[in-house]
Amino acid sequence: MPVEVTWWGHATCTIEDSGVRVLTDPLFARRFAHLRRRRGELPGPEAAVADAVLVSHLHSDHLHLPSLARLAPGSRLVVPRGAVRAVPGLRLLRTVRGLRITEVVPGEEIRLGEVRVRVVPALHDGRRLPVGAHRSPALGFVVEGEARTYFAGDTGLFDDMAEAVGPVDVALLPVGGWGPNLGHGHLDAGRAAQALALLEPRSAVPVHYGTYWPIGLDGVRPHEFHAPGDEFVRKSALLAPEVAVHRLAHGERVRPEAAR
């Protein structure tokens, strides 16, 4: 069966390949910290069903402890090296929920049945903010089964990106954020289209936009909330016209190869 990708909102995706179901950066909250979910229904229980969960870095919108608590007892959780030390709540989840936590760094691989997951670098601040030490790297992952699916997490462009990531068939790329300005180590729609031209996948899905926004800032630069997905489609058509881009609605799924 071809790889199938579901976008639940923000950086949360399900990748199904070769009978293995992988969940990325689960965030199942209507509201947390200073953010609220402004678009898309809150994912139902089926979104938390996975053979393994990949966490790209320690920021609370990517490593969200209440969302990880929704995973089935005994679930496999893959996190950056140093995460358990930096985020004490992970130790509680390991003890109470029986989560099987594996810490990894770029260059390592893990096996999930018929699927191999390669850990690749990302250009992003991987600390547990606001006061975490620089002990945990930000990561991307390439899920390799019948297809090679790259989940970028949060990253900026970097010089050897294509070499570090390697050949991929599908790219899940961040194209926006949750506030009126994107800082260093992020991709906006234009930079994500440049990344697409470097990586040369067959298909792409824009993520990390149009879901959460700061409370009280609905009227501040609203185009940065609504527009990145469409803007990525337009810019990708110019910079990487051979790539099929699938802009999904929240909860929508696609078989990228079948949809070409």
Side-chain angles (χ1 to χ4, degrees):
M1 184 180 78
V3 64
E4 185 171 83
V5 174
T6 305
W7 182 51
W8 302 107
H10 203 54
T12 307
C13 303
T14 295
I15 303 165
E16 297 181 71
D17 193 330
S18 304
V20 175
R21 185 176 170 100
V22 176
L23 178 65
T24 67
D25 289 354
L27 182 55
F28 306 133
R30 295 189 187 280
R31 177 174 174 172
F32 75 101
H34 62 299
L35 304 178
R36 68 180 177 92
R37 190 176 180 109
R38 288 195 56 214
R39 183 186 285 175
E41 293 296 325
L42 202 64
E46 72 278 8
V49 176
D51 297 294
V53 177
L54 309 178
V55 172
S56 63
H57 62 289
L58 306 191
H59 293 176
S60 60
D61 58 324
H62 293 257
L63 195 165
H64 184 247
L65 292 170
S67 296
L68 294 177
R70 288 180 51 180
L71 302 175
S75 294
R76 179 91 178 263
L77 180 62
V78 180
V79 299
R81 183 174 294 174
V84 175
R85 181 179 179 182
V87 187
L90 286 174
R91 294 196 289 270
L92 182 63
L93 288 176
R94 184 168 58 187
T95 301
V96 175
R97 301 289 294 173
L99 297 187
R100 296 177 294 128
I101 301 176
T102 302
E103 296 190 335
V104 295
V105 295
E108 295 186 331
E109 298 180 355
I110 60 172
R111 296 292 309 196
L112 304 170
E114 297 300 313
V115 165
R116 176 177 70 146
V117 178
R118 290 193 294 109
V119 185
V120 300
L123 178 63
H124 192 67
D125 183 346
R127 293 177 297 168
R128 185 67 165 182
L129 298 176
V131 294
H134 284 279
R135 290 181 181 148
S136 293
L139 308 174
F141 300 95
V142 180
V143 179
E144 298 189 355
E146 293 188 26
R148 296 162 297 187
T149 303
Y150 170 48
F151 170 67
D154 258 355
T155 188
L157 280 171
F158 52 97
D159 290 341
D160 60 345
M161 188 176 202
E163 180 181 354
V165 172
V168 293
D169 302 301
V170 183
L172 313 181
L173 295 180
V175 301
W178 50 253
N181 291 292
L182 284 175
H184 178 71
H186 292 85
L187 296 178
D188 60 12
R191 291 192 293 272
Q194 293 177 46
L196 209 59
L198 293 173
L199 296 167
E200 299 182 326
R202 297 182 179 183
S203 304
V205 176
V207 301
H208 204 282
Y209 77 100
T211 309
Y212 291 93
W213 203 248
I215 296 166
L217 292 184
D218 289 3
V220 177
R221 300 177 67 85
H223 65 283
E224 294 196 8
F225 177 84
H226 294 285
D230 289 333
E231 188 176 355
F232 176 67
V233 172
R234 291 193 301 271
K235 293 189 173 183
S236 297
L238 296 174
L239 297 180
E242 71 286 354
V243 180
V245 177
H246 308 283
R247 190 181 69 79
L248 303 181
H250 292 81
E252 187 177 2
R253 64 188 60 194
V254 65
R255 294 182 177 177
E257 293 300 297
R260 283 177 60 81

